[in-house]
PDB file of all heavy atoms in Angstrom:
ATOM      1  N   LEU A  33     102.515  98.976 108.664  1.00 70.00           N
ATOM      2  CA  LEU A  33     101.264  98.644 109.350  1.00 70.00           C
ATOM      3  C   LEU A  33     100.643  97.379 108.771  1.00 70.00           C
ATOM      4  O   LEU A  33     100.215  96.482 109.498  1.00 70.00           O
ATOM      5  CB  LEU A  33     100.287  99.813 109.237  1.00 70.00           C
ATOM      6  CG  LEU A  33      98.900  99.604 109.814  1.00 70.00           C
ATOM      7  CD1 LEU A  33      98.968  99.451 111.320  1.00 70.00           C
ATOM      8  CD2 LEU A  33      98.010 100.771 109.439  1.00 70.00           C
ATOM      9  N   VAL A  34     100.622  97.283 107.462  1.00 71.00           N
ATOM     10  CA  VAL A  34     100.033  96.115 106.804  1.00 71.00           C
ATOM     11  C   VAL A  34     100.830  94.857 107.144  1.00 71.00           C
ATOM     12  O   VAL A  34     100.260  93.813 107.482  1.00 71.00           O
ATOM     13  CB  VAL A  34      99.946  96.332 105.273  1.00 71.00           C
ATOM     14  CG1 VAL A  34      99.588  95.048 104.549  1.00 71.00           C
ATOM     15  CG2 VAL A  34      98.948  97.428 104.958  1.00 71.00           C
ATOM     16  N   ILE A  35     102.140  94.946 107.068  1.00 66.00           N
ATOM     17  CA  ILE A  35     102.974  93.780 107.365  1.00 66.00           C
ATOM     18  C   ILE A  35     102.761  93.312 108.795  1.00 66.00           C
ATOM     19  O   ILE A  35     102.677  92.123 109.076  1.00 66.00           O
ATOM     20  CB  ILE A  35     104.461  94.098 107.089  1.00 66.00           C
ATOM     21  CG1 ILE A  35     104.706  94.149 105.579  1.00 66.00           C
ATOM     22  CG2 ILE A  35     105.365  93.050 107.724  1.00 66.00           C
ATOM     23  CD1 ILE A  35     106.091  94.567 105.205  1.00 66.00           C
ATOM     24  N   ARG A  36     102.661  94.253 109.738  1.00 66.00           N
ATOM     25  CA  ARG A  36     102.473  93.892 111.143  1.00 66.00           C
ATOM     26  C   ARG A  36     101.065  93.399 111.437  1.00 66.00           C
ATOM     27  O   ARG A  36     100.858  92.604 112.340  1.00 66.00           O
ATOM     28  CB  ARG A  36     102.789  95.082 112.039  1.00 66.00           C
ATOM     29  CG  ARG A  36     104.216  95.565 111.989  1.00 66.00           C
ATOM     30  CD  ARG A  36     105.142  94.535 112.535  1.00 66.00           C
ATOM     31  NE  ARG A  36     104.836  94.292 113.926  1.00 66.00           N
ATOM     32  CZ  ARG A  36     105.696  94.262 114.900  1.00 66.00           C
ATOM     33  NH1 ARG A  36     106.953  94.442 114.642  1.00 66.00           N
ATOM     34  NH2 ARG A  36     105.319  94.028 116.129  1.00 66.00           N
ATOM     35  N   ALA A  37     100.074  93.873 110.702  1.00 71.00           N
ATOM     36  CA  ALA A  37      98.680  93.557 111.006  1.00 71.00           C
ATOM     37  C   ALA A  37      98.233  92.204 110.455  1.00 71.00           C
ATOM     38  O   ALA A  37      97.321  91.595 111.005  1.00 71.00           O
ATOM     39  CB  ALA A  37      97.773  94.660 110.467  1.00 71.00           C
ATOM     40  N   ILE A  38      98.839  91.728 109.400  1.00 71.00           N
ATOM     41  CA  ILE A  38      98.410  90.462 108.799  1.00 71.00           C
ATOM     42  C   ILE A  38      99.124  89.325 109.512  1.00 71.00           C
ATOM     43  O   ILE A  38     100.317  89.125 109.352  1.00 71.00           O
ATOM     44  CB  ILE A  38      98.717  90.428 107.284  1.00 71.00           C
ATOM     45  CG1 ILE A  38      97.983  91.555 106.573  1.00 71.00           C
ATOM     46  CG2 ILE A  38      98.341  89.076 106.697  1.00 71.00           C
ATOM     47  CD1 ILE A  38      98.333  91.676 105.119  1.00 71.00           C
ATOM     48  N   GLU A  39      98.363  88.607 110.314  1.00 71.00           N
ATOM     49  CA  GLU A  39      98.950  87.509 111.081  1.00 71.00           C
ATOM     50  C   GLU A  39      98.789  86.165 110.376  1.00 71.00           C
ATOM     51  O   GLU A  39      99.454  85.197 110.737  1.00 71.00           O
ATOM     52  CB  GLU A  39      98.323  87.462 112.470  1.00 71.00           C
ATOM     53  CG  GLU A  39      98.643  88.708 113.274  1.00 71.00           C
ATOM     54  CD  GLU A  39      98.009  88.693 114.651  1.00 71.00           C
ATOM     55  OE1 GLU A  39      97.477  87.639 115.050  1.00 71.00           O
ATOM     56  OE2 GLU A  39      98.051  89.730 115.312  1.00 71.00           O
ATOM     57  N   ALA A  40      97.898  86.076 109.399  1.00 75.00           N
ATOM     58  CA  ALA A  40      97.635  84.805 108.720  1.00 75.00           C
ATOM     59  C   ALA A  40      98.757  84.435 107.756  1.00 75.00           C
ATOM     60  O   ALA A  40      98.923  83.276 107.429  1.00 75.00           O
ATOM     61  CB  ALA A  40      96.317  84.886 107.966  1.00 75.00           C
ATOM     62  N   ALA A  41      99.536  85.419 107.312  1.00 71.00           N
ATOM     63  CA  ALA A  41     100.596  85.152 106.344  1.00 71.00           C
ATOM     64  C   ALA A  41     101.941  85.583 106.908  1.00 71.00           C
ATOM     65  O   ALA A  41     102.035  86.508 107.709  1.00 71.00           O
ATOM     66  CB  ALA A  41     100.325  85.912 105.048  1.00 71.00           C
ATOM     67  N   ASP A  42     102.961  84.895 106.494  1.00 75.00           N
ATOM     68  CA  ASP A  42     104.324  85.243 106.861  1.00 75.00           C
ATOM     69  C   ASP A  42     104.728  86.514 106.117  1.00 75.00           C
ATOM     70  O   ASP A  42     104.233  86.779 105.020  1.00 75.00           O
ATOM     71  CB  ASP A  42     105.245  84.083 106.472  1.00 75.00           C
ATOM     72  CG  ASP A  42     106.664  84.291 106.916  1.00 75.00           C
ATOM     73  OD1 ASP A  42     106.897  84.394 108.134  1.00 75.00           O
ATOM     74  OD2 ASP A  42     107.541  84.368 106.043  1.00 75.00           O
ATOM     75  N   VAL A  43     105.630  87.307 106.699  1.00 69.00           N
ATOM     76  CA  VAL A  43     106.029  88.558 106.040  1.00 69.00           C
ATOM     77  C   VAL A  43     106.671  88.293 104.683  1.00 69.00           C
ATOM     78  O   VAL A  43     106.571  89.117 103.775  1.00 69.00           O
ATOM     79  CB  VAL A  43     106.974  89.397 106.921  1.00 69.00           C
ATOM     80  CG1 VAL A  43     106.248  89.940 108.116  1.00 69.00           C
ATOM     81  CG2 VAL A  43     108.194  88.629 107.343  1.00 69.00           C
ATOM     82  N   TRP A  44     107.310  87.154 104.513  1.00 76.00           N
ATOM     83  CA  TRP A  44     107.923  86.843 103.221  1.00 76.00           C
ATOM     84  C   TRP A  44     106.855  86.559 102.171  1.00 76.00           C
ATOM     85  O   TRP A  44     107.035  86.890 101.006  1.00 76.00           O
ATOM     86  CB  TRP A  44     108.882  85.669 103.354  1.00 76.00           C
ATOM     87  CG  TRP A  44     110.062  86.046 104.187  1.00 76.00           C
ATOM     88  CD1 TRP A  44     110.292  85.669 105.471  1.00 76.00           C
ATOM     89  CD2 TRP A  44     111.127  86.915 103.822  1.00 76.00           C
ATOM     90  NE1 TRP A  44     111.454  86.246 105.918  1.00 76.00           N
ATOM     91  CE2 TRP A  44     111.989  87.010 104.937  1.00 76.00           C
ATOM     92  CE3 TRP A  44     111.449  87.634 102.684  1.00 76.00           C
ATOM     93  CZ2 TRP A  44     113.145  87.789 104.931  1.00 76.00           C
ATOM     94  CZ3 TRP A  44     112.600  88.401 102.674  1.00 76.00           C
ATOM     95  CH2 TRP A  44     113.430  88.471 103.785  1.00 76.00           C
ATOM     96  N   GLN A  45     105.732  85.971 102.576  1.00 78.00           N
ATOM     97  CA  GLN A  45     104.627  85.772 101.641  1.00 78.00           C
ATOM     98  C   GLN A  45     104.044  87.117 101.216  1.00 78.00           C
ATOM     99  O   GLN A  45     103.750  87.333 100.037  1.00 78.00           O
ATOM    100  CB  GLN A  45     103.523  84.935 102.284  1.00 78.00           C
ATOM    101  CG  GLN A  45     103.890  83.483 102.502  1.00 78.00           C
ATOM    102  CD  GLN A  45     102.843  82.773 103.319  1.00 78.00           C
ATOM    103  OE1 GLN A  45     102.388  83.281 104.324  1.00 78.00           O
ATOM    104  NE2 GLN A  45     102.472  81.578 102.885  1.00 78.00           N
ATOM    105  N   ILE A  46     103.885  88.011 102.175  1.00 73.00           N
ATOM    106  CA  ILE A  46     103.368  89.343 101.871  1.00 73.00           C
ATOM    107  C   ILE A  46     104.307  90.044 100.898  1.00 73.00           C
ATOM    108  O   ILE A  46     103.873  90.651  99.917  1.00 73.00           O
ATOM    109  CB  ILE A  46     103.181  90.162 103.153  1.00 73.00           C
ATOM    110  CG1 ILE A  46     102.114  89.512 104.039  1.00 73.00           C
ATOM    111  CG2 ILE A  46     102.811  91.601 102.828  1.00 73.00           C
ATOM    112  CD1 ILE A  46     102.069  90.065 105.441  1.00 73.00           C
ATOM    113  N   ASN A  47     105.606  89.959 101.149  1.00 74.00           N
ATOM    114  CA  ASN A  47     106.581  90.592 100.266  1.00 74.00           C
ATOM    115  C   ASN A  47     106.541  89.976  98.869  1.00 74.00           C
ATOM    116  O   ASN A  47     106.685  90.685  97.872  1.00 74.00           O
ATOM    117  CB  ASN A  47     107.986  90.472 100.850  1.00 74.00           C
ATOM    118  CG  ASN A  47     108.980  91.274 100.062  1.00 74.00           C
ATOM    119  OD1 ASN A  47     108.751  92.441  99.774  1.00 74.00           O
ATOM    120  ND2 ASN A  47     110.074  90.657  99.692  1.00 74.00           N
ATOM    121  N   PHE A  48     106.333  88.677  98.783  1.00 80.00           N
ATOM    122  CA  PHE A  48     106.229  88.005  97.484  1.00 80.00           C
ATOM    123  C   PHE A  48     105.087  88.598  96.667  1.00 80.00           C
ATOM    124  O   PHE A  48     105.256  88.955  95.496  1.00 80.00           O
ATOM    125  CB  PHE A  48     106.035  86.505  97.700  1.00 80.00           C
ATOM    126  CG  PHE A  48     105.816  85.734  96.434  1.00 80.00           C
ATOM    127  CD1 PHE A  48     106.873  85.482  95.574  1.00 80.00           C
ATOM    128  CD2 PHE A  48     104.559  85.268  96.101  1.00 80.00           C
ATOM    129  CE1 PHE A  48     106.674  84.781  94.399  1.00 80.00           C
ATOM    130  CE2 PHE A  48     104.347  84.565  94.934  1.00 80.00           C
ATOM    131  CZ  PHE A  48     105.406  84.311  94.072  1.00 80.00           C
ATOM    132  N   TYR A  49     103.916  88.748  97.290  1.00 79.00           N
ATOM    133  CA  TYR A  49     102.766  89.295  96.572  1.00 79.00           C
ATOM    134  C   TYR A  49     102.948  90.775  96.262  1.00 79.00           C
ATOM    135  O   TYR A  49     102.506  91.255  95.214  1.00 79.00           O
ATOM    136  CB  TYR A  49     101.470  89.037  97.345  1.00 79.00           C
ATOM    137  CG  TYR A  49     101.116  87.573  97.350  1.00 79.00           C
ATOM    138  CD1 TYR A  49     101.105  86.846  98.528  1.00 79.00           C
ATOM    139  CD2 TYR A  49     100.823  86.911  96.165  1.00 79.00           C
ATOM    140  CE1 TYR A  49     100.802  85.496  98.525  1.00 79.00           C
ATOM    141  CE2 TYR A  49     100.522  85.566  96.150  1.00 79.00           C
ATOM    142  CZ  TYR A  49     100.508  84.859  97.330  1.00 79.00           C
ATOM    143  OH  TYR A  49     100.215  83.532  97.316  1.00 79.00           O
ATOM    144  N   ARG A  50     103.605  91.517  97.157  1.00 78.00           N
ATOM    145  CA  ARG A  50     103.908  92.923  96.852  1.00 78.00           C
ATOM    146  C   ARG A  50     104.836  93.018  95.650  1.00 78.00           C
ATOM    147  O   ARG A  50     104.687  93.900  94.798  1.00 78.00           O
ATOM    148  CB  ARG A  50     104.562  93.594  98.061  1.00 78.00           C
ATOM    149  CG  ARG A  50     103.595  93.997  99.119  1.00 78.00           C
ATOM    150  CD  ARG A  50     104.235  94.582 100.342  1.00 78.00           C
ATOM    151  NE  ARG A  50     105.313  95.488 100.077  1.00 78.00           N
ATOM    152  CZ  ARG A  50     106.095  96.011 101.016  1.00 78.00           C
ATOM    153  NH1 ARG A  50     105.898  95.711 102.278  1.00 78.00           N
ATOM    154  NH2 ARG A  50     107.048  96.845 100.710  1.00 78.00           N
ATOM    155  N   SER A  51     105.796  92.119  95.566  1.00 80.00           N
ATOM    156  CA  SER A  51     106.741  92.131  94.445  1.00 80.00           C
ATOM    157  C   SER A  51     106.041  91.805  93.129  1.00 80.00           C
ATOM    158  O   SER A  51     106.329  92.415  92.099  1.00 80.00           O
ATOM    159  CB  SER A  51     107.873  91.139  94.705  1.00 80.00           C
ATOM    160  OG  SER A  51     108.586  91.503  95.850  1.00 80.00           O
ATOM    161  N   ILE A  52     105.138  90.845  93.170  1.00 84.00           N
ATOM    162  CA  ILE A  52     104.371  90.518  91.962  1.00 84.00           C
ATOM    163  C   ILE A  52     103.555  91.733  91.516  1.00 84.00           C
ATOM    164  O   ILE A  52     103.518  92.075  90.332  1.00 84.00           O
ATOM    165  CB  ILE A  52     103.465  89.290  92.195  1.00 84.00           C
ATOM    166  CG1 ILE A  52     104.324  88.034  92.299  1.00 84.00           C
ATOM    167  CG2 ILE A  52     102.440  89.149  91.077  1.00 84.00           C
ATOM    168  CD1 ILE A  52     103.557  86.791  92.671  1.00 84.00           C
ATOM    169  N   ALA A  53     102.910  92.397  92.475  1.00 82.00           N
ATOM    170  CA  ALA A  53     102.122  93.586  92.140  1.00 82.00           C
ATOM    171  C   ALA A  53     103.016  94.672  91.545  1.00 82.00           C
ATOM    172  O   ALA A  53     102.620  95.354  90.589  1.00 82.00           O
ATOM    173  CB  ALA A  53     101.405  94.109  93.389  1.00 82.00           C
ATOM    174  N   LEU A  54     104.222  94.835  92.080  1.00 81.00           N
ATOM    175  CA  LEU A  54     105.153  95.835  91.543  1.00 81.00           C
ATOM    176  C   LEU A  54     105.533  95.506  90.101  1.00 81.00           C
ATOM    177  O   LEU A  54     105.543  96.387  89.241  1.00 81.00           O
ATOM    178  CB  LEU A  54     106.400  95.931  92.428  1.00 81.00           C
ATOM    179  CG  LEU A  54     107.480  96.877  91.933  1.00 81.00           C
ATOM    180  CD1 LEU A  54     106.980  98.316  91.956  1.00 81.00           C
ATOM    181  CD2 LEU A  54     108.733  96.726  92.753  1.00 81.00           C
TER     182      LEU A  54
END
Side-chain angles (χ1 to χ4, degrees):
L33 176 66
V34 169
I35 287 175
R36 297 294 297 229
I38 300 174
E39 296 179 10
D42 185 62
V43 291
W44 293 105
Q45 290 172 314
I46 296 167
N47 188 49
F48 176 75
Y49 291 115
R50 281 177 42 187
S51 298
I52 289 174
L54 177 66

